Amino acid sequence: MIAALRAEWTKTRTTGGGAWLLAGAVAVTVALSAGIAAATHVSAHSGQEDPTKVALGGIYLGQAVVAVFAVLTISEEYGTGMIRVSLAAVPRRLVLLAAKAATTTALALAAGVLAVTGCLLVGRLMLPGAGLDPAHGCPLISLGDGPTLRAAIGSVCYLVLIGLLALGVATVVRDTAPAIAVVMGVLYLPPLLAQAFADPLRRQIEQIAPMTAGLAVQATVTAHSEPIGPWAGLGVLTAWAATSLLLAALLLRRRDA
């Protein structure tokens, strides 16, 4: 396992594309959060503003870049035929998949910490000027606040789980473009489809959809209005990622390279 981890780290470090994608994920996430903060304006307290959730809004787009990184972790090897070399070097296929999952987790975790920290810093600096301040009944963003700390940690975990979900899908599909399409469809289509239905069906769809369920962990002030509880929602996303990896493991063992 240690040798497999070293090999995966060497691949990621030497190809260069992965590092640029993760840097792009951080930049896109923070930039979108800054754009959302700049476009936000609250003139009076309505009791529905959630500064932390607004500040973390960039994750809606940043997760897509993390997913692409995770897909390329294995799909590029299938595309170039290097997967045969990897499997020759690491004949135990589950060890290879576990090493890729561990590497994806570590790198997505690092990118997630940077992205979430940047988003919260942007929110702390910009949102008071938009009216989301104590004068309008909204607390300043602070990691000393329990719900905000939970939203921050949960958002980092969310990005890690998105990476693992994408890795599993890519292992099953084995082709870059279709794998990315499947992951994006799984993430972004259910929330759109849910809008075509009325409650309680819409709420039920949002409770089982990986993105809407997982991002419920970001809510602090408005947690009561989310379709599912914060940690329960992250649990739903965990189940999606675990199912994806389990299916990937089964097919990786049964299929030829």
Side-chain angles (χ1 to χ4, degrees):
M1 186 63 188
I2 294 176
L5 286 170
R6 287 175 178 169
E8 292 304 319
W9 169 245
T10 300
K11 293 175 190 175
T12 304
R13 179 173 54 84
T14 56
T15 55
W20 282 109
L21 274 173
L22 290 175
V26 175
V28 165
T29 302
V30 176
L32 181 57
S33 288
I36 293 172
T40 299
H41 178 71
V42 177
S43 57
H45 176 54
S46 65
Q48 295 299 318
E49 297 85 3
D50 193 332
T52 300
K53 188 173 182 179
V54 173
L56 294 171
I59 289 178
Y60 279 94
L61 183 58
Q63 64 179 336
V65 186
V66 173
V68 170
F69 161 77
V71 166
L72 292 175
T73 299
I74 192 165
S75 67
E76 276 196 335
E77 291 197 40
Y78 277 108
T80 60
M82 282 297 296
I83 190 65
R84 298 182 182 87
V85 178
S86 295
L87 291 176
V90 187
R92 299 175 63 184
R93 298 186 175 201
L94 295 188
V95 171
L96 176 65
L97 181 60
K100 287 186 177 295
T103 304
T104 299
T105 296
L107 293 173
L109 180 64
V113 169
L114 292 175
V116 169
T117 301
C119 288
L120 293 179
L121 181 60
V122 164
R124 171 85 180 195
L125 295 175
M126 297 181 65
L127 288 179
L132 295 179
D133 57 9
H136 291 86
C138 298
L140 293 175
I141 295 173
S142 171
L143 289 177
D145 177 57
T148 299
L149 180 61
R150 181 255 297 156
I153 295 173
S155 295
V156 174
C157 293
Y158 176 87
L159 290 174
V160 171
L161 290 169
I162 290 298
L164 293 176
L165 172 63
L167 175 64
V169 170
T171 306
V172 172
V173 177
R174 304 201 294 186
D175 193 0
T176 300
I180 292 174
V182 170
V183 174
M184 299 306 161
V186 167
L187 291 179
Y188 293 105
L189 279 183
L192 296 177
L193 293 175
Q195 302 307 310
F197 301 95
D199 285 335
L201 182 56
R202 176 172 62 186
R203 190 175 184 84
Q204 291 172 348
I205 294 173
E206 291 174 342
Q207 288 173 339
I208 62 173
M211 184 170 76
T212 49
L215 288 179
V217 78
Q218 293 182 344
T220 57
V221 178
T222 60
H224 61 280
S225 63
E226 296 296 320
I228 191 170
W231 294 119
L234 207 61
V236 170
L237 178 58
T238 301
W240 277 87
T243 301
S244 171
L245 288 173
L246 178 60
L247 183 58
L250 291 173
L251 292 179
L252 186 62
R253 288 192 65 183
R254 291 178 176 273
R255 295 188 304 197
D256 293 332

